[in-house]
Amino acid sequence: MNEKASVIIPFYNSKEYLRASIIQLQKQSYSNIELLLLDDGSTDGGEAEIEDLIDNKIVFYYCLPHQGVSAARNKGIEEARGEYISFIDVDDIPKEDYIETLVYDIKSKQCDAVICNFYEFDNDKEEIKSNISDTPWKNQVIHRDEIDNVLIPNMISTDSGYTIRGTAWRMLVSRKFILENHLKFQPGIAMAEDLLFTLQLYHRCNSIYIESDFLYGYRQSIGSTMHRYRPNAFADSLQFQSALKKFLISEKIYRQLQE
């Protein structure tokens, strides 16, 4: 297990988390990683806080015009040189064996992608709050039929009683797979851009391994985008729904998922 893993970290005005995030990721038990920092036009002076950590060997820094997280992640995919790619949000805290475990999983199970379990922690108390990633699969490989008929429908609707969130983080995927399938995040989508990307990715996978261990810590911050007032929320939602429908129709799975 010596293949390089590229960790793509987009951020915007995240000075309070940036340095700690890099140092935490440098503690990963898997040694052959590169950290790609994609600065989406920040204005808070965060770059000065991490100048001593950027070495252009393991830690790379890219200063981009402010275009949103999708454009930043696409730039990360373009610059990545690892066999595997993982997306991490700058304020989250993966466990130290996060990359090592997922690389082992994807190689040993010979899957296209790996999704691990995660927990939420509070911005102040740093305590586990809940497991909101309960699925019917525990350390199992799921194949094409289950991906299209169980996984994807439950990313769109939660009527089954369990939740499968379409997030780019807590996942490892082959860079070659992303490039060969021409997968990109859609710039201009201001809501649920992760869901659109993961739907496209999973739909093209022949097999996915579901790792039950809680390897990724997701920060529930009151100041995060999810909890911030969005004056254009309704228009953003319509834009997302339109893009989602367009994707489902293009993949000829709209009718079976319409209900």
Side-chain angles (χ1 to χ4, degrees):
M1 293 213 315
N2 195 40
E3 293 85 352
K4 184 184 293 294
S6 299
V7 179
I8 295 174
I9 312 163
F11 66 92
Y12 174 71
N13 286 347
S14 302
K15 181 178 178 179
E16 60 183 309
Y17 302 115
L18 190 55
R19 185 176 182 85
S21 176
I22 297 169
I23 292 173
Q24 181 69 25
L25 287 168
Q26 287 175 324
K27 296 178 182 178
Q28 285 290 305
S29 58
Y30 193 79
S31 60
N32 194 9
I33 66 173
E34 62 176 11
L35 307 181
L36 307 179
L37 312 175
L38 290 308
D39 186 343
D40 182 32
S42 296
T43 58
D44 63 350
E47 182 184 0
E49 299 288 322
I50 59 170
E51 282 182 351
D52 60 315
L53 299 177
I54 301 168
D55 56 17
N56 293 325
K57 294 179 181 179
I58 297 175
V59 181
F60 301 84
Y61 174 82
Y62 302 90
C63 184
L64 311 174
H66 183 48
Q67 296 179 316
V69 65
S70 292
R73 284 174 172 156
N74 287 338
K75 176 65 173 177
I77 293 171
E78 177 185 326
E79 297 293 341
R81 294 297 174 263
E83 280 80 0
Y84 303 110
I85 284 178
S86 179
F87 301 98
I88 290 179
D89 286 356
V90 69
D91 57 340
D92 294 343
I93 303 178
K95 295 287 184 66
E96 291 184 9
D97 60 344
Y98 170 74
I99 295 294
E100 181 179 7
T101 302
L102 298 193
V103 169
Y104 174 81
D105 287 343
I106 202 170
K107 284 179 63 65
S108 62
K109 306 302 180 182
Q110 298 184 330
C111 293
D112 297 316
V114 181
I115 308 169
C116 76
N117 214 334
F118 73 100
Y119 62 91
E120 289 184 309
F121 64 93
D122 187 85
N123 199 33
D124 297 319
K125 297 182 179 179
E126 303 283 316
E127 294 178 354
I128 294 176
K129 293 176 68 176
S130 62
N131 164 29
I132 54 174
S133 184
D134 190 27
T135 77
W137 306 291
K138 307 296 181 185
N139 295 324
Q140 288 178 249
V141 176
I142 58 174
H143 298 280
R144 162 67 50 210
D145 184 62
E146 282 187 289
I147 292 170
D148 280 347
N149 295 311
V150 183
L151 176 65
I152 288 178
N154 280 280
M155 291 168 66
I156 299 172
S157 170
T158 59
D159 288 344
S160 65
Y162 59 84
T163 303
I164 301 171
R165 294 176 60 176
T167 57
W169 43 263
R170 59 124 175 190
M171 172 181 69
L172 186 82
V173 63
S174 160
R175 180 170 67 94
K176 182 180 178 181
F177 184 87
I178 290 177
L179 296 178
E180 287 182 345
N181 286 279
H182 309 289
L183 296 170
K184 288 186 176 182
F185 291 85
Q186 292 189 37
I189 301 293
M191 179 180 289
E193 68 284 338
D194 280 27
L195 177 56
L196 283 176
F197 178 81
T198 51
L199 282 171
Q200 294 177 69
L201 190 153
Y202 297 160
H203 178 59
R204 286 163 174 76
C205 287
N206 288 313
S207 60
I208 299 172
Y209 184 69
I210 309 297
E211 169 62 62
S212 294
D213 281 355
F214 295 83
L215 300 175
Y216 193 97
Y218 173 71
R219 186 187 300 270
Q220 270 285 17
S221 172
I222 197 67
S224 70
T225 303
M226 289 288 290
H227 294 87
R228 209 175 293 150
Y229 170 67
R230 302 167 64 112
N232 300 316
F234 186 70
D236 291 345
S237 179
L238 288 178
Q239 183 187 40
F240 161 72
Q241 297 292 343
S242 176
L244 173 62
K245 182 176 180 179
K246 182 178 179 180
F247 160 69
L248 296 175
I249 291 173
S250 69
E251 297 298 327
K252 298 180 173 57
I253 56 176
Y254 178 71
R255 289 191 178 278
Q256 71 188 68
L257 297 176
Q258 187 172 15
E259 184 179 345

